[in-house]
Amino acid sequence: MEEKKTVDRRVRKTKRAIRHAFAKLLSQKDINDITIRDIADLADINRKTFYSYYSGIHQVVDEIENEVVLAFESVLGDIDLKRDLKNPHSIFERLTAIINTDLEFYGHLLSMHGNVSLVSKIVTMLINKSKEALLSQIEMDDKIADIVLGYAITGMIAVYQQWFNSDRLQSIEEISETISIMFFHGFSGVLEQQKNYRKTHGSEELR
Amino acid sequence: MEEKKTVDRRVRKTKRAIRHAFAKLLSQKDINDITIRDIADLADINRKTFYSYYSGIHQVVDEIENEVVLAFESVLGDIDLKRDLKNPHSIFERLTAIINTDLEFYGHLLSMHGNVSLVSKIVTMLINKSKEALLSQIEMDDKIADIVLGYAITGMIAVYQQWFNSDRLQSIEEISETISIMFFHGFSGVLEQQKNYRKTHGSEELR
DNA sequence: TATTATAATACACATATGTGGTATAAGTCA
DNA sequence: TGACTTATACCACATATGTGTATTATAATA
């Protein structure tokens, strides 16, 4: 945000070396096994120098995460409620696309396997963006909008995350459709849809 | 779960001392500033002994969290969908009641300010319990139930958590009602409710 | 109570951490 | 280029970590 660009080339070089080393180590072992000495050795800097920029490993992670979220935000573009909430998968699709291309370097950090802080940062960003979009189109109470979007966005991301980390039991269409119905028409909408499905396909296909 | 009760009194005494010391330290300083030596000193045990039971601080936390979730689960009782989803606040109310009474000792651990792993354990527990209740009452696809409940429970807890950690902008009734409507009738239900509200109270009270 | 099993301690060691002080190298800028 | 500023390196130290090995203390139980 208020990132006054570094003037000194040494600083840029050092920070680049630290982050590069960290990323490389992350691809080799678990984050909890990475020591500051590891980073300093690989980056070929003095261990002390590390401390002049970061208080610990977690700060490096935090910095990279913030940049990732910024990258997401800029690439994601504006949220189109009509399109995105009727097909929530499109949001998720765009997010993963960014991960898989531009930022594949940080794949290990981003793979969403247990990286809670990054996910919550993304959720916050999505809530803010969609709140903006929502209030510009629909007249509704600000506090209610917070509740609605906090509920829907968090729930949506949680479902995709669960799906991501599981054996992908459901099809992506099933997920996308169910979330969409849940958002617009709630549980009664899902029941309705299930009833129609049973009519069309016969009940033996269900449970 | 498969907790074969400890036979040796020494073991019980040591583990009790460790956990007691940890809880005390937690009430005094941030969890990241607690060292194993701190615990060993306060518990008056050899540092080595700590390692024979826990590989690190995080394991102590994990063990306590699991017990807390078990306590929640047993006190929470069965989930009554009719009651609990029409008034989701009741679930939350019962959860916080447990925190504030039986388990106040671990208040610092549970205060939900950033304790992600505990929250996610609770969410998982709630999803499992309510899935059981749901499928016993309503005939629906198992995989769809996973999506619906993952979405709804995660979203619900997230809203309460956000409310908990914020300045409690909304009233608890507002939250409870909005989540309930979102669950049963979705966003269209909320819009309907907002429209009625405007009719009754006049639009100048909104935004 | 005496025997046996093992939990806990005492001690040691290699490595990691955080931090201080001083010297050197590399940048910036006139 | 030369004078300055400061980032980084080098060295040092107190403490923390994880893990050995040998010894002592304490519990289970015959």
Side-chain angles (χ1 to χ4, degrees), chain A residues 89-206:
Chain A
H89 178 50
S90 79
I91 292 180
F92 191 68
E93 216 165 30
R94 275 175 286 162
L95 289 178
T96 49
I98 302 171
I99 295 176
N100 290 330
T101 59
D102 295 346
L103 296 159
E104 64 169 304
F105 191 54
Y106 299 117
H108 294 275
L109 188 65
L110 304 172
S111 61
M112 300 215 172
H113 290 74
N115 191 338
V116 246
S117 73
L118 179 60
V119 172
S120 78
K121 280 172 191 163
I122 292 175
V123 166
T124 304
M125 183 266 287
L126 285 177
I127 290 177
N128 289 336
K129 277 186 95 79
S130 48
K131 186 181 169 188
E132 212 173 293
L134 180 67
L135 291 184
S136 73
Q137 291 196 337
I138 296 173
E139 186 187 356
M140 73 180 300
D141 188 278
D142 190 272
K143 296 180 294 176
I144 301 291
D146 279 337
I147 301 174
V148 166
L149 291 175
Y151 173 87
I153 301 278
T154 309
M156 178 189 95
I157 295 289
V159 169
Y160 282 117
Q161 223 189 325
Q162 177 190 317
W163 173 79
F164 220 77
N165 297 333
S166 76
D167 303 328
R168 293 171 180 66
L169 284 173
Q170 304 94 340
S171 73
I172 194 69
E173 290 79 20
E174 240 174 350
I175 290 183
S176 200
E177 192 192 355
T178 306
I179 291 180
S180 176
I181 296 177
M182 276 298 285
F183 179 78
F184 277 111
H185 306 292
F187 190 57
S188 59
V190 174
L191 287 180
E192 196 68 27
Q193 194 263 352
Q194 287 276 299
K195 215 162 63 185
N196 292 338
Y197 187 88
R198 265 200 296 281
K199 257 186 215 149
T200 322
H201 294 76
S203 65
E204 72 281 353
E205 289 201 16
L206 290 173

Side-chain angles (χ1 to χ4, degrees), chain A residues 25-80:
Chain A
L25 287 166
L26 203 58
S27 72
Q28 290 166 0
K29 49 176 161 176
D30 189 88
I31 188 169
N32 298 111
D33 297 331
I34 298 176
T35 71
I36 293 174
R37 179 172 292 280
D38 282 339
I39 297 177
D41 284 349
L42 187 57
D44 199 30
I45 59 162
N46 191 282
R47 199 164 53 82
K48 177 88 195 214
T49 307
F50 176 92
Y51 288 107
S52 54
Y53 294 109
Y54 304 99
S55 73
I57 308 272
H58 67 99
Q59 274 212 355
V60 184
V61 178
D62 195 61
E63 189 183 89
I64 295 177
E65 281 180 1
N66 287 337
E67 283 172 23
V68 169
V69 173
L70 270 179
F72 276 15
E73 198 171 351
S74 67
V75 174
L76 198 58
D78 291 327
I79 287 189
D80 182 338

Side-chain angles (χ1 to χ4, degrees), chain B residues 8 10-11 14 44-46 48-49 53:
Chain B
D8 202 314
R10 288 170 295 185
V11 179
T14 301
D44 198 30
I45 58 161
N46 192 284
K48 179 86 196 213
T49 308
Y53 295 108

Side-chain angles (χ1 to χ4, degrees), chain B residues 49-163:
Chain B
T49 308
F50 177 92
Y51 288 108
S52 53
Y53 295 108
Y54 304 99
S55 72
I57 308 270
H58 67 100
Q59 274 212 353
V60 184
V61 178
D62 195 61
E63 190 183 87
I64 295 177
E65 280 180 0
N66 287 337
E67 284 172 22
V68 168
V69 173
L70 271 178
F72 276 15
E73 197 171 352
S74 66
V75 174
L76 198 59
D78 290 327
I79 287 188
D80 182 337
L81 282 182
K82 273 209 188 66
R83 178 195 59 199
D84 294 336
L85 287 179
K86 252 176 192 138
N87 179 22
H89 179 51
S90 80
I91 292 180
F92 191 68
E93 216 165 32
R94 275 175 286 163
L95 289 178
T96 49
I98 302 170
I99 295 177
N100 290 331
T101 59
D102 296 346
L103 296 160
E104 63 170 304
F105 191 54
Y106 299 118
H108 294 274
L109 188 65
L110 304 172
S111 60
M112 299 212 171
H113 291 75
N115 191 337
V116 245
S117 73
L118 179 59
V119 171
S120 80
K121 280 172 189 162
I122 291 174
V123 165
T124 305
M125 184 265 287
L126 285 176
I127 289 177
N128 289 336
K129 277 187 95 77
S130 50
K131 185 181 170 188
E132 213 174 291
L134 180 69
L135 292 184
S136 72
Q137 292 196 336
I138 296 171
E139 186 186 357
M140 71 179 300
D141 189 277
D142 190 272
K143 295 180 293 176
I144 300 291
D146 280 337
I147 301 174
V148 167
L149 292 174
Y151 173 87
I153 301 279
T154 308
M156 179 189 91
I157 295 289
V159 169
Y160 282 117
Q161 224 188 325
Q162 177 190 317
W163 174 78

